[in-house]
Amino acid sequence: MSHRLELREGAYIISDAHYSPQRPQLLQLIKEIHSKKLQPSQLILMGDIFDALFGLIEYTYEDNKEMIDLLEDIAKDIEVLYFEGNHDFHLKVVFKNIKIFPLAQQPQTLYYNDKKVCMAHGDFDGKMGYKIYTALIRNPFILFVLKYIDIALSHRIIKKIEAYLDKKDDCVELSWFEDFIQNRFGDRFECDYFVEGHFHQNQSFELSSFTYINLGAFACNQRYFIVKSKDDKELLEEHQFFKEI
């Protein structure tokens, strides 16, 4: 029998941090959680937490090792759920204490009080071209070949990918986003809330079947969300983390 997933009061939800040495802000937040200065009841990572972490290419662990170790340690004390994104995948070989949901297992339904909350990174239903792309970048054989070509080239391929990702603007407002979401979902999911990241828009809409929430990207202004109940209304309370580095 499958285990029923709970979304807990006081859970922290973080999406699209795109962590790298050039964007270290998330590391400070995770250190605050690790030291118990901040005490979430549960930690939910909604994908693209790392700018480049590919479980079958060990070289991508190097710049991320401190973050990996902290998350693993936190997961010994509280439940950590991780929805893989398009920048961080094959993570079951990286994390032993964290519950990992690869793309094929998204969305997942979590239960919060009497509500059903569907959760996903957000790229589970792209168009055919995107589906082919995501299948290729996750293909174990392609990653195996890439790994050894990259080693032979003194990691120039991975370094080039990382340099490209560091220059990307992750904070673009999409004027067409609400229309896109309205047309995308229809009545496909039975839930009260649908929560995802990926698009970095920090917007919510009432659809015919549920409330849709697109999370703001931590990479843009260090936003994260805390699950709260207030006056019998369920909501995600937005917070902004700031600490000088």
Side-chain angles (χ1 to χ4, degrees), residues 151-162:
I151 290 170
L153 296 175
S154 301
H155 301 297
R156 285 202 291 272
I157 295 175
I158 296 299
K159 288 175 181 177
K160 194 171 184 65
I161 291 170
E162 290 173 341

Side-chain angles (χ1 to χ4, degrees), residues 22-59:
Q22 285 68 43
R23 288 190 262 198
Q25 292 85 356
L26 180 65
L27 183 62
Q28 304 308 313
L29 174 59
I30 296 303
K31 284 180 175 179
E32 298 277 286
I33 295 172
H34 184 262
S35 69
K36 297 186 170 54
K37 291 179 182 177
L38 297 174
Q39 298 191 37
S41 60
Q42 181 184 36
L43 180 60
I44 302 179
L45 305 172
M46 297 294 291
D48 289 359
I49 299 304
F50 298 85
D51 215 15
L53 181 60
F54 315 136
L56 302 183
I57 300 181
E58 290 84 351
Y59 180 70

Side-chain angles (χ1 to χ4, degrees), residues 29-232:
L29 174 59
I30 296 303
K31 284 180 175 179
E32 298 277 286
I33 295 172
H34 184 262
S35 69
K36 297 186 170 54
K37 291 179 182 177
L38 297 174
Q39 298 191 37
S41 60
Q42 181 184 36
L43 180 60
I44 302 179
L45 305 172
M46 297 294 291
D48 289 359
I49 299 304
F50 298 85
D51 215 15
L53 181 60
F54 315 136
L56 302 183
I57 300 181
E58 290 84 351
Y59 180 70
T60 64
Y61 302 7
E62 291 190 8
D63 285 340
N64 298 314
K65 186 179 187 311
E66 185 176 10
M67 178 75 77
I68 291 168
D69 290 345
L70 287 170
L71 289 172
E72 274 285 82
D73 215 28
I74 289 168
K76 294 174 184 176
D77 292 329
I78 63 171
E79 183 177 54
V80 180
L81 308 180
Y82 199 132
F83 293 82
E84 291 186 348
N86 48 302
H87 289 247
D88 42 6
F89 45 83
H90 287 302
L91 298 183
K92 288 184 179 180
V93 300
V94 180
F95 296 108
K96 306 305 179 187
N97 299 321
I98 294 174
K99 177 67 175 173
I100 305 292
F101 298 103
L103 182 64
Q105 295 176 13
Q106 300 179 33
Q108 286 284 319
T109 301
L110 283 73
Y111 293 85
Y112 177 57
N113 298 333
D114 61 344
K115 303 296 185 183
K116 293 170 69 175
V117 183
C118 293
M119 303 188 79
H121 172 61
D123 63 338
F124 61 91
D125 63 347
K127 293 183 179 180
M128 183 55 66
Y130 185 81
K131 287 181 178 179
I132 293 170
Y133 160 72
T134 58
L136 289 174
I137 64 173
R138 290 171 171 84
N139 182 277
F141 177 73
I142 291 175
L143 290 171
F144 175 82
V145 173
L146 174 62
K147 170 182 171 178
Y148 285 100
I149 293 174
D150 185 59
I151 290 170
L153 296 175
S154 301
H155 301 297
R156 285 202 291 272
I157 295 175
I158 296 299
K159 288 175 181 177
K160 194 171 184 65
I161 291 170
E162 290 173 341
Y164 167 74
L165 293 173
D166 281 333
K167 293 176 182 177
K168 279 187 68 179
D169 183 358
D170 292 314
C171 307
V172 176
E173 185 175 339
L174 306 175
S175 60
W176 44 263
F177 187 65
E178 183 170 0
D179 289 339
F180 165 72
I181 293 300
Q182 294 282 356
N183 294 327
R184 175 186 173 205
F185 279 101
D187 297 318
R188 284 196 293 155
F189 298 103
E190 292 185 11
C191 52
D192 298 287
Y193 296 90
F194 198 106
V195 180
E196 64 179 1
H198 187 57
F199 300 101
H200 306 180
Q201 294 303 292
N202 200 32
Q203 296 185 46
S204 61
F205 317 116
E206 293 297 327
L207 303 185
S208 60
S209 301
F210 50 76
T211 299
Y212 172 81
I213 300 172
N214 186 254
L215 299 168
F218 187 91
C220 292
N221 63 3
Q222 290 72 65
R223 276 183 292 230
Y224 66 99
F225 301 84
I226 299 179
V227 177
K228 295 279 189 179
S229 287
K230 186 177 181 181
D231 300 327
D232 297 323

